[in-house]
Amino acid sequence: MIQPHREFWPVLGGLRFLLAMWVLFDHTYNFGPAERAIPVLTRSGLMAVMCFFVISGFSIHHSIAMRPEGYLRRRLLRILPLNALAVGIGWFGWSVLGLSGGYGTPPVPPSVWQFIGCLLLLEAFLPIMIGFLYPAWSLSIEAVYYLLAPLFRKLEGRPHVPALMIASSVLFVAWPLFRNEYVAGGSSYWLTGIVMLWAWLAGWIAYAHPGHRRYLLWLGLAGLASIATQARFFDVTNVSSAAVNAIAWIGTLMLVFYRIGHVGGRVAAMFDYLGELSFPLYILHYPVLFVVSSSLFKAYPDLNAGVAHVAISLTAAVLAYHLVDKPLRKPDAGMGQAIRAWAGRRRATDSGRGELAEAAPRLGTGA
């Protein structure tokens, strides 16, 4: 197993941000008039999510291989606070402010149990999905993959993981034969998690077998086959939409299998920062746009445009990263310590004291 060069990671960070923007651009059609949305070549973010899974599998393999101690703590601190923030924004808008009637309003009022289930990321097991928390479907599945990672690590060198990947990819390609619905369109996602496991394992195997041509060929063909069998789910309507899906999939595979691209200096710092913004951008934009479309855009519909969606979502992502995500993910600290450090930093900021602010640059993200 050859460790990726440290200058390769910013490249993955930049790609994560591009994929998050792809999803955001696609969702501008869900929160405003189509004629004001951001023009896109395909109005489906499914391929972006698949590529997210590939990068996640690659990164998680690195994390658990290099730093097995504290692995689950790091994962929890990575996903739970921002997911709680997303659920909190949606709950506050719906239950406290009574917002509705805008784009993204659920057709059926969500129950308190749905909010609790979404807070615990149980969408992968229970039919609890709330419309304005929709992007969490993939996060709930990814959380299950995180829990399975120690098992995959123990199976390293055995045929079990490749066999799982191949079986899952076959099921994904054949999905339309047994489910006549969008693979990410259900209210619970246990079956989706099974058929999409192969995309996550593609990154896992790419980390362990860099440059492996047979795996790369199999995965590339499986991706192209899935685009063909699920053309309507990938919004393949012409050559351009087919090409953008195919290029994204093959390009991501090539990137992780061959670790293409090394950047340094300010470019690396910029890519790293954009990569850090990708997760808050992905998980928060839907509840934020629901709140805005049911309040500001409802009162002033002329403001409801894709450019405004992007600006508001990016602003929310930046604020969430600096105020919640980054302070909580202090390396080499327990969960309680991280929370106390975050609370202390907030108090210091509110009171104008600068002692903890001087230590802020040392609050890293963890692996």
Side-chain angles (χ1 to χ4, degrees):
M1 190 182 302
I2 303 173
Q3 296 179 28
H5 196 280
R6 64 181 182 179
E7 294 179 344
F8 170 69
W9 294 105
V11 177
L12 285 186
L15 178 58
R16 286 201 310 271
F17 181 76
L18 288 177
L19 295 172
M21 292 297 289
W22 178 348
V23 173
L24 174 58
F25 287 177
D26 168 48
H27 288 165
T28 60
Y29 288 86
N30 297 354
F31 286 95
E35 63 272 14
R36 297 184 188 174
I38 301 295
V40 292
L41 292 175
T42 171
R43 289 176 57 179
S44 170
L46 180 58
M47 180 54 72
V49 173
M50 290 178 63
C51 294
F52 268 133
F53 280 164
V54 174
I55 297 172
S56 174
F58 186 91
S59 303
I60 294 305
H61 199 161
H62 175 78
S63 178
I64 199 170
M66 302 307 299
R67 294 179 60 202
E69 67 287 346
Y71 161 73
L72 287 178
R73 177 193 66 81
R74 297 195 302 274
R75 291 300 94 206
L76 289 175
L77 285 175
R78 179 55 169 150
I79 64 174
L80 290 186
L82 287 179
N83 180 66
L85 179 60
V87 175
I89 292 171
W91 171 83
F92 187 80
W94 177 268
S95 300
V96 178
L97 299 181
L99 298 178
S100 63
Y103 291 88
T105 299
V108 178
S111 68
V112 63
W113 297 113
Q114 284 179 274
F115 280 109
I116 293 174
C118 290
L119 186 66
L120 299 175
L121 287 174
L122 298 180
E123 296 96 326
F125 304 103
L126 301 174
I128 57 172
M129 176 57 71
I130 300 173
F132 49 71
L133 300 176
Y134 176 64
W137 74 267
S138 64
L139 181 61
S140 68
I141 291 173
E142 197 169 2
V144 177
Y145 298 162
Y146 291 163
L147 294 175
L148 292 174
L151 173 62
F152 296 148
R153 176 68 175 159
K154 289 182 179 180
L155 295 174
E156 202 73 58
R158 301 181 184 181
H160 300 74
V161 173
L164 275 174
M165 183 183 69
I166 293 171
S168 175
S169 66
V170 171
L171 289 174
F172 187 80
V173 172
W175 174 271
L177 299 179
F178 55 94
R179 291 292 283 266
N180 186 29
E181 65 177 22
Y182 182 44
V183 70
S187 55
S188 64
Y189 296 92
W190 63 271
L191 185 56
T192 305
I194 293 174
V195 301
M196 294 195 74
L197 176 62
W198 71 289
W200 194 86
L201 288 178
W204 180 276
I205 286 180
Y207 184 85
H209 303 279
H212 198 294
R213 294 181 180 178
R214 282 181 294 177
Y215 283 139
L216 180 59
L217 178 61
W218 170 266
L219 290 165
L221 292 176
L224 296 178
S226 67
I227 294 172
T229 61
Q230 302 186 53
R232 63 191 177 108
F233 300 149
F234 286 101
D235 192 44
V236 175
T237 56
N238 50 40
V239 174
S240 297
S241 55
V244 72
N245 281 288
I247 291 171
W249 178 249
I250 299 299
T252 301
L253 290 179
M254 294 289 292
L255 193 71
V256 295
F257 269 96
Y258 290 104
R259 289 90 186 273
I260 299 172
H262 290 168
V263 295
R266 293 182 179 179
V267 174
M270 180 184 67
F271 282 6
D272 279 333
Y273 182 70
L274 293 177
E276 293 290 355
L277 292 183
S278 62
F279 178 51
L281 180 64
Y282 178 79
I283 198 66
L284 293 177
H285 75 275
Y286 230 77
V288 166
L289 291 179
F290 159 70
V291 169
V292 175
S293 69
S294 298
S295 54
L296 178 64
F297 292 161
K298 189 176 179 181
Y300 303 97
D302 290 343
L303 298 178
N304 192 357
V307 174
H309 299 167
V310 173
I312 292 170
S313 299
L314 283 172
T315 301
V318 170
L319 291 174
Y321 171 64
H322 286 285
L323 298 179
V324 178
D325 188 32
K326 184 180 178 181
L328 274 176
R329 290 193 288 137
K330 182 178 180 180
D332 303 320
M335 181 77 75
Q337 289 175 293
I339 294 174
R340 287 193 294 272
W342 174 83
R345 186 175 184 272
R346 299 276 68 75
R347 288 194 298 270
T349 301
D350 294 341
S351 64
R353 294 193 300 267
E355 293 89 345
L356 287 177
E358 295 177 359
R362 296 194 296 271
L363 300 180
T365 61

